[in-house]
Amino acid sequence: DFKKEIDMPSLLSGDPVDVVGAGDAFSSTFVSAWKRGYSMQNCGAIASAASARVLSAVGTTAGMVDFDTLCADVRAAGETLSV
């Protein structure tokens, strides 16, 4: 319904190594989190973690990890996740 604005800081630490695939990683992870029942804010945080990992490695999928690892990244950044 687009009634709430959600700000999501980047989880990338340092400079990006390669930007190719970061948007795809964000989008696909966001949808995956949404399908698992996470809130919009949690979906953005988990997707940001996926994008940050892709930005940190050379290649479109070199930085991708499993969903549980992305959730751990988000928790390590101080976010609370709940389904």
Side-chain angles (χ1 to χ4, degrees):
D1 58 9
F2 304 106
K3 293 181 181 176
K4 182 179 178 185
E5 187 172 315
I6 299 171
D7 291 320
M8 180 56 51
S10 171
L11 295 181
L12 178 66
S13 60
D15 294 327
V17 174
D18 186 359
V19 299
V20 176
D24 294 328
F26 185 94
S27 299
S28 60
T29 304
F30 189 97
V31 171
S32 179
W34 183 253
K35 295 291 283 179
R36 292 170 191 239
Y38 286 92
S39 69
M40 286 282 223
Q41 183 162 350
N42 283 172
C43 290
I46 298 165
S48 181
S51 191
R53 284 195 170 258
V54 170
L55 288 166
S56 299
V58 175
T60 58
T61 60
M64 287 302 294
V65 295
D66 62 273
F67 193 83
D68 291 335
T69 301
L70 295 174
C71 290
D73 288 352
V74 172
R75 288 185 184 102
E79 293 287 328
T80 302
L81 296 179
S82 60
V83 179

